[in-house]
């Protein structure tokens, strides 16, 4: 799936904007720059790890407001803030809202590039995790209702015999369901299966 | 009685003709708003014509006061009334005056040409209020002089006002004030209608009496009741007052106000130079600086990988130069701003300046529940310094100290201010606090735009240091024991000042 990562730069100062693009581009990253938060919102985000280098002081929507706006739209792009004059409450607010880094201009180039790398790495990991979960869910959804029922009981610690009793069926039938489910879920071991189901249950409680 | 402008188109105009015998142009001058003219006429009627003051006294006073109006309409019109053209004071049976009488009236010395003290003593000596005096009597003369002074310089003539009240009694006095008010309004009305022309009867009078015409048209007192002249006179008079007993009191009050203004100025200029200005400048300087560093770093990285296209390098260098120019322009602007107020150095007692600033900061100290202890060495040598700049520096150090203690809850918030002479004979001032201290940042606090404060701009200490440098002194920071920081500065003792 993964395309090359893209770094978005939003700064309303043209020379800062173009020099940032140059600097980030100099380490081989793809950069797109915008002069306002509104302009970036017009852009459809690519199917690739991304991050945002955002000036706090912008004409129009401020950087901090933009951070809130992105969260409200459920756009989870990691943000590296840069500012000409950062005070402590401002940076605390930004970091609490999930910013990767809050750099005061002029910053060391290495600090900025490190922050961008961390941000891209975090976005990549998030995307991977989301993808894993999607795959897992698809596999789980491919089970028959009875197979789903059986493995739910298996991972909750019940013995085959107990499950058979509860479902009013033969123990051998339960064993068949169980091994088919293991196969479909691509589980290497019983422990592996438990981990998968726990993951699916995770924050979303997707297992019925 | 020959008048060329006899019209009575509106009901009130008929009333005017009935009362005055003629139609003055002053009541024909705003044909677009006859209701305003009618109202003005009502005012004239109430304050002048129906005002129960003896008719001749009234009309003669009107003429005399009109000497002090630049516009010559009123004085000639009312002279016309006096010598029998129309009814003086609207009174059809008043005894007429001769041209010679009017000339004598106009030639009376004005209050500024005569001994007013004698006039006032005369009026103040009256024990039972008098009635309106006859024309050309000594009492009329005194009343005219006092009334004129009150009319032209109301705020300077309290004694005249009291003397008039004493001579006339309260009721007549208030009627007189009503008349003065009307005359002022009439002058204003005519001055605001500069196109007003003389009536024919008045022209005729001027043609017949050369001397009268000259007196009416060329009175040197004419500009006296103009606002600018009046204010000038009031200022002149106040200057005289200063020479008397009032001087010391006025001076003290002025000095106190000056001091207040000065402290306010120090506060305001601190806020301006170190606050708003610095905030925007920090941003303005940091932008080009950031761009320069971005471009430079990118070039270095590409160079390290032997991956730098000369064309790319050229463009980056061009941008670097452009941004350098931009940063320089900002700095030039700051420098120009700071230089705008040149230091005014004088010999100062540093302890007095410390006391002033502590008084100024006391509100903040109290608000932040801190306490101040000062230990000021007496008999310090004077320093050659700019008071306002020193106030700025001290205020900055004290405010920083207070702010450094806002987070402290486990120990008293104490600020110690100390002055003494150091080993080299310089005056040393230190401000110690029990706040959070500087930690590892002690070296950086004087760097422009460096700040540890929640809403600091990072300019206060760098400006303070440059101000102290300008005075030939030093400003530095050190940790305080066991908590907080101590900021100290020295100033050389003024030449010839005793140690």
């Amino acid at each position: 799936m993964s395309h090359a990562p893209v770094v978005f730069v939003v700064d309303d100062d043209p020379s800062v904007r173009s020099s940032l693009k140059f600097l980030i581009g100099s380490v081989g990253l793809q950069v797109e720059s915008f002069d306002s938060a509104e302009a970036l919102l017009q852009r459809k985000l690519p199917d690739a790890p991304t991050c945002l280098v955002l000036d706090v002081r912008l004409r129009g929507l401020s950087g901090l407001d933009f951070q809130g706006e992105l969260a409200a739209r459920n756009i989870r792009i990691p943000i590296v803030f840069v500012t000409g004059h950062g005070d402590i409450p401002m940076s605390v607010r930004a970091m609490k809202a999930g910013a990767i880094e809050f750099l005061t201009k002029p910053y060391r180039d290495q600090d900025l590039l490190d922050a961008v790398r961390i941000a891209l790495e975090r976005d990549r990991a998030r995307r991977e995790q989301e993808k894993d979960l999607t795959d897992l869910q698809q596999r789980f959804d491919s089970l028959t209702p009875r197979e789903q029922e059986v493995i739910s009981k298996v991972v909750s610690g019940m013995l085959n015999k107990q499950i058979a009793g509860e479902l009013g069926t033969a123990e051998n039938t339960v064993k068949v369901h169980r091994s088919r489910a293991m196969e479909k879920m691509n589980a290497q071991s019983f422990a592996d299966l438990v981990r998968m189901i726990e993951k699916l249950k995770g924050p979303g409680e997707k297992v019925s | 009685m020959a008048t060329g402008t006899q019209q009575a188109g509106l009901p009130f105009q008929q009333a005017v003709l009935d009362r005055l015998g003629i139609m003055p142009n002053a009541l024909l001058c705003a044909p677009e708003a006859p209701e305003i003219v009618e109202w003005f006429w009502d005012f004239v009627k109430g304050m002048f014509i129906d005002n129960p003051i003896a008719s001749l006294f009234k009309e003669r006073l009107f003429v005399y006061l009109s000497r002090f109006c630049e516009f010559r309409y009123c004085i000639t019109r009312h002279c016309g009334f006096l010598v029998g053209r129309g009814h003086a004071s609207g009174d059809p049976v008043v005894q007429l005056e001769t041209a010679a009488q009017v000339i004598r009236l106009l030639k009376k010395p004005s209050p500024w040409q005569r001994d007013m003290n004698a006039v006032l003593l005369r009026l103040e000596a009256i024990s039972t209020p008098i009635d309106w005096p006859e024309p050309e009597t000594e009492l009329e003369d005194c009343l005219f002089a006092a009334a004129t002074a009150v009319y032209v310089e109301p705020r300077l003539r309290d004694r005249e006002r009291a003397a008039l009240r004493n001579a006339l009694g309260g009721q007549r006095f208030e009627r007189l004030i009503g008349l003065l008010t009307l005359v002022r309004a009439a002058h204003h009305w005519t001055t605001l209608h500069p196109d007003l022309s003389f009536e024919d009867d008045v022209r005729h009078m001027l043609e017949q009496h050369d001397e009268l015409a000259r007196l009416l048209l060329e009175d040197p007192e004419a500009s006296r009741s103009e606002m600018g002249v009046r204010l000038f006179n009031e200022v002149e008079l106040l200057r005289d007052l200063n020479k008397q007993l009032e001087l010391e009191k006025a001076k003290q009050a002025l000095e106190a106000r000056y001091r207040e203004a000065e402290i306010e100025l120090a506060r305001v200029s601190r806020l301006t130079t170190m606050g708003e200005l610095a905030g925007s400048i920090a941003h303005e300087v940091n932008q080009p600086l950031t761009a320069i560093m971005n471009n430079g770093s990118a070039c270095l990285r590409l160079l390290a990988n032997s991956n730098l296209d000369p064309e790319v390098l050229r463009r980056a260098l061009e941008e670097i130069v452009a941004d350098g120019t931009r940063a320089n322009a900002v700095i030039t602007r700051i420098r120009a701003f700071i230089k705008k107020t040149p230091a005014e150095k004088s010999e100062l007692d540093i302890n007095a300046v410390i006391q002033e600033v502590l008084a100024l900061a006391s509100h903040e100290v109290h608000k932040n529940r801190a306490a101040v202890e000062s230990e000021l060495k007496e008999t310090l040598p004077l320093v050659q310094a700019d008071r306002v700049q020193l106030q700025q520096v001290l205020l900055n150090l004290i405010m920083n100290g207070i702010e450094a203690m806002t987070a402290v809850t486990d120990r008293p918030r104490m600020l110690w201010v100390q002055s003494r002479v150091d080993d080299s004979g310089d005056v040393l001032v230190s401000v110690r606090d029990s706040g959070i201290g500087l930690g590892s940042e002690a070296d950086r606090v004087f760097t422009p735009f460096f700040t540890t404060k929640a809403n600091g701009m990072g300019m206060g200490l760098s400006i303070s240091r440059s101000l102290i440098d300008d005075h030939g002194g030093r400003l530095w920071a050190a940790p305080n024991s066991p908590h907080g920081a101590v900021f100290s500065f020295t100033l050389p003792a003024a030449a010839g000042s005793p140690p």
Side-chain angles (χ1 to χ4, degrees), chain A residues 89-165:
Chain A
M90 196 192 277
S91 58
V92 167
R93 189 183 144 194
M95 299 301 280
K96 270 190 179 161
I100 299 293
E101 187 56 277
F102 194 95
L103 297 170
T104 305
K105 293 178 189 173
Y107 38 75
R108 280 178 358 115
D109 60 330
Q110 194 59 53
D111 290 346
L112 178 85
L113 294 171
D114 285 350
V116 165
R117 272 202 197 91
I118 291 167
L120 287 175
E121 176 52 36
R122 193 169 296 180
D123 200 42
R124 194 194 55 72
R126 179 186 62 81
R127 292 169 56 81
E128 215 151 76
Q129 206 180 5
E130 275 181 7
K131 183 167 183 311
D132 281 356
L133 205 63
T134 316
D135 289 351
L136 211 54
Q137 186 70 40
Q138 278 170 356
R139 274 180 267 158
F140 186 78
D141 291 346
S142 73
L143 302 182
T144 66
R146 180 56 71 136
E147 285 164 356
Q148 289 182 355
E149 201 174 0
V150 167
I151 62 164
S152 296
K153 292 184 190 301
V154 168
V155 298
S156 75
M158 287 168 76
L159 301 172
N160 290 347
K161 203 186 215 166
Q162 291 172 306
I163 299 170

Side-chain angles (χ1 to χ4, degrees), chain B residues 104-400:
Chain B
R104 279 202 293 279
L105 175 63
L106 295 176
K107 278 186 168 173
K108 270 180 183 302
S110 76
W112 298 272
Q113 298 163 331
R114 61 192 294 171
D115 179 7
M116 279 304 284
N117 191 42
V119 168
L120 294 172
L121 287 174
R122 173 75 181 90
L123 294 177
E124 286 159 355
I126 293 171
S127 54
T128 315
I130 55 166
D131 203 341
W132 305 108
E134 291 298 315
E136 302 198 297
T137 58
E138 179 234 356
L139 270 175
E140 185 203 51
D141 178 56
C142 289
L143 291 177
F144 276 16
T148 302
V150 169
Y151 176 77
V152 176
E153 295 173 339
R155 290 207 281 177
L156 296 177
R157 301 294 187 160
D158 289 340
R159 187 177 165 205
E160 278 82 349
R161 215 181 341 266
L164 284 170
R165 182 183 279 279
N166 176 66
L168 294 169
Q171 190 183 43
R172 288 199 186 86
F173 171 76
E174 291 301 349
R175 288 172 180 167
L176 177 68
I177 294 296
L179 176 62
L180 301 188
T181 306
L182 181 271
V183 177
R184 165 76 70 214
H187 287 172
H188 215 59
W189 175 265
T190 55
T191 307
L192 293 181
H193 291 102
D195 294 330
L196 259 184
S197 55
F198 296 141
E199 293 84 357
D200 289 350
D201 61 323
V202 163
R203 278 185 217 283
H204 185 65
M205 174 184 76
L206 294 175
E207 279 161 19
Q208 280 187 327
H209 300 284
D210 280 348
E211 191 182 5
L212 189 56
R214 195 174 47 73
L215 278 170
L216 288 174
L217 301 179
E218 299 168 9
D219 195 324
E221 299 291 328
S223 64
R224 195 175 279 276
S225 77
E226 245 198 323
M227 193 59 79
V229 177
R230 251 188 46 223
L231 289 179
F232 176 79
N233 289 343
E234 292 189 14
V235 169
E236 285 290 297
L237 216 94
L238 280 174
R239 201 167 288 163
D240 287 345
L241 283 181
N242 274 352
K243 289 174 190 153
Q244 300 157 21
L245 280 175
E246 307 276 340
L247 177 69
E248 210 38 50
K249 220 165 78 185
K251 211 173 106 188
Q252 279 168 5
L254 271 176
E255 263 168 6
R257 289 210 16 218
Y258 177 69
R259 185 59 40 81
E260 277 170 32
E262 208 175 38
I263 291 176
E264 180 63 13
L265 181 73
R267 195 183 69 81
V268 168
S269 55
R270 173 184 186 266
L271 290 180
T272 323
T273 39
M274 305 185 186
E276 297 154 23
L277 177 82
S280 63
I281 284 171
H283 194 67
E284 279 186 66
V285 175
N286 277 335
Q287 294 294 89
L289 215 53
T290 303
I292 289 170
M293 291 172 70
N294 285 342
N295 279 317
S297 307
C299 286
L300 287 172
R301 281 171 190 279
L302 294 174
L303 207 56
N305 300 334
S306 320
N307 193 16
L308 186 52
D309 177 355
E311 179 53 25
V312 172
L313 175 62
R314 194 181 59 78
R315 266 210 318 274
L317 288 176
E318 276 171 6
E319 283 188 23
I320 288 173
V321 171
D323 284 316
T325 310
R326 184 176 148 200
N328 184 49
V330 176
I331 288 166
T332 307
R333 276 214 311 281
I334 308 175
R335 205 167 281 153
F337 182 86
I338 291 174
K339 280 196 177 151
K340 213 158 62 180
T341 48
E344 281 183 24
K345 292 182 184 171
S346 56
E347 291 197 347
L348 296 177
D349 171 11
I350 190 80
N351 287 342
V353 180
I354 293 173
Q355 300 283 15
E356 284 162 7
V357 175
L358 284 178
L360 187 63
S362 64
H363 178 70
E364 288 297 318
V365 171
H366 185 72
K367 205 173 79 184
N368 287 283
R369 288 193 291 282
V372 178
E373 249 175 47
S374 55
E375 190 186 318
L376 308 181
K377 176 101 166 68
E378 285 174 30
T379 65
L380 281 178
L382 298 175
V383 293
Q384 183 78 21
D386 181 298
R387 177 185 293 272
V388 173
Q389 291 186 353
L390 275 194
Q391 285 173 340
Q392 283 189 17
V393 171
L394 273 163
L395 197 55
N396 189 36
L397 297 183
I398 289 170
M399 297 299 289
N400 284 350

